[in-house]
Amino acid sequence: MIKETRALTEHPFNVNVFCHAPAQRNLTLETAWLRHLELLFAEVNLRAPTTLNEIYLPFEQDSQTLKLLLDVRPAIVSFHFGLPSEAHLMALHQAGIYTMATATNLREAQMIEQAGVDAIVAQGIEAGGHRGMFDPTVVDEGLTTAVLTRLLVQRTQLPVISAGGIMDGQGLKAALDLGAAAVQLGTAFLLCPESDASAAYRVNLKNAPTIGTRLTATISGRPARGLVNRFITHGEASNGVTPAAYPVAYDAVKQLHAAAVKQGNYEFAAHWAGQGAPLAREMPAADLIQQLLHEWHDAE
Ligand SMILES: Cc1cc2nc3c(=O)[nH]c(=O)nc-3n(C[C@H](O)[C@H](O)[C@H](O)COP(=O)(O)O)c2cc1C
């Protein structure tokens, strides 16, 4: 993917890695979770698996990815769910790579600053996709992008990149007015023809005002915001059965989704989207960038 992207542009781009704590396996809990999902597996004529796998490793345990990054040297590497070790971070910096890490509160931002990372992504509760919180077991205050941006601009020395709910030039301007050095948009690009979103994902996005989004740990085992579907409502109605640890829980839903899709059923997909989903626009990514710039300048 890095090679393909380089072939398409001379501009710098960001490679993102997950720095989550390794999954704490709990077979009793995993079995109970699979039992809760049995009904859904039956709907797609599949027997629920009896065991689940940790489908990918944290960056820290994945020496191949570090080696790859040091070889190909993307301009930026960003970290989600925590920080890499001092040694990994130093190796990336010595290779001339600019680093960024996601914070969802001030404490995480201070850890990022102390570690020597170059910039902070301030991810508000509005954001689509996984919430970058370092420890998903701590109580989450759910700070909005606006509050978090202001807090981090005031209390850290690093450039702050606002992320969460920014969908147009007006939103972009608001974040910059709060002191952000830049903005990061995810959901705004999902309807672009260049995005990897499936046809069913796009239909659901267009129905976002009715469907709504939810922050849920049921899909992957970690809180993430996506368009509400049958998997999420079933998972949330679990009567106290908790999802398997991240990313072990993801294994179950990915198996379920793969079988369901063959039957034209998209109710078990991870259709990540932020609260701003109803504001997403369908146009080529380059046009959307131009549009964002026009709106920003018009709002000045
Ligand atoms: C479909 C989708 C996938 C995402 N995947 C990642 C990811 O792999 N790593 C990451 O750090 N953030 C990921 N995010 C979160 C974005 O980096 C960003 O925080 C978020 O999109 C900002 O909020 P917005 O969606 O309201 O624009 C994802 C977001 C979406 C919508």
Side-chain angles (χ1 to χ4, degrees), residues 44-295:
V44 297
N45 303 318
L46 204 67
R47 194 185 281 269
T50 48
T51 54
L52 292 171
N53 291 312
E54 189 175 357
I55 54 173
Y56 44 76
L57 293 173
F59 175 55
E60 207 51 42
Q61 292 185 351
D62 173 9
S63 51
Q64 281 189 352
T65 297
L66 177 68
K67 190 177 169 305
L68 172 98
L69 293 173
L70 297 176
D71 280 350
V72 299
R73 301 184 183 212
I76 309 170
V77 170
S78 67
F79 314 111
H80 208 53
F81 301 140
L83 289 163
S85 66
E86 225 180 297
H88 276 36
L89 189 59
M90 197 188 291
L92 293 168
H93 278 157
Q94 279 171 354
I97 297 169
Y98 188 88
T99 57
M100 316 197 304
T102 303
T104 60
N105 59 35
L106 179 59
R107 206 177 64 84
E108 291 167 354
Q110 286 167 336
M111 288 166 76
I112 291 168
E113 186 163 39
Q114 275 161 20
V117 171
D118 298 304
I120 309 173
V121 178
Q123 189 197 37
I125 194 75
E126 303 93 324
H130 278 95
R131 191 146 167 76
M133 56 202 302
F134 287 17
D135 179 356
T137 64
V138 301
V139 176
D140 181 7
E141 206 181 339
L143 297 177
T144 61
T145 304
V147 170
L148 184 63
T149 298
R150 203 65 209 128
L151 192 58
L152 304 196
V153 166
Q154 287 224 351
R155 300 282 180 85
T156 74
Q157 305 298 313
L158 294 182
V160 173
I161 300 153
S162 293
I166 301 169
M167 300 298 293
D168 50 27
Q170 289 83 349
L172 185 161
K173 180 181 182 299
L176 298 183
D177 284 348
L178 291 172
V183 290
Q184 187 184 72
L185 284 65
T187 304
F189 288 94
L190 287 174
L191 284 178
C192 296
E194 295 86 347
S195 120
D196 209 18
S198 67
Y201 195 168
R202 289 167 193 270
V203 168
N204 283 350
L205 275 164
K206 289 176 189 169
N207 288 324
T210 336
I211 296 175
T213 68
R214 186 146 336 144
L215 190 66
T216 180
T218 56
I219 291 189
S220 72
R222 260 184 174 267
R225 186 177 294 284
L227 294 165
V228 179
N229 60 18
R230 177 141 162 63
F231 188 87
I232 295 178
T233 45
H234 180 83
E236 299 256 318
S238 67
N239 285 328
V241 185
T242 46
Y246 177 88
V248 179
Y250 230 167
D251 187 18
V253 77
K254 281 178 190 278
Q255 291 187 43
L256 188 57
H257 174 62
V261 163
K262 288 185 193 143
Q263 300 168 16
N265 176 351
Y266 295 89
E267 278 303 306
F268 309 129
H271 286 165
W272 304 135
Q275 289 179 342
L279 297 167
R281 291 172 284 190
E282 191 172 24
M283 60 175 84
D287 293 354
L288 180 55
I289 291 280
Q290 287 307 319
Q291 186 69 27
L292 292 167
L293 294 176
H294 285 311
E295 290 164 352

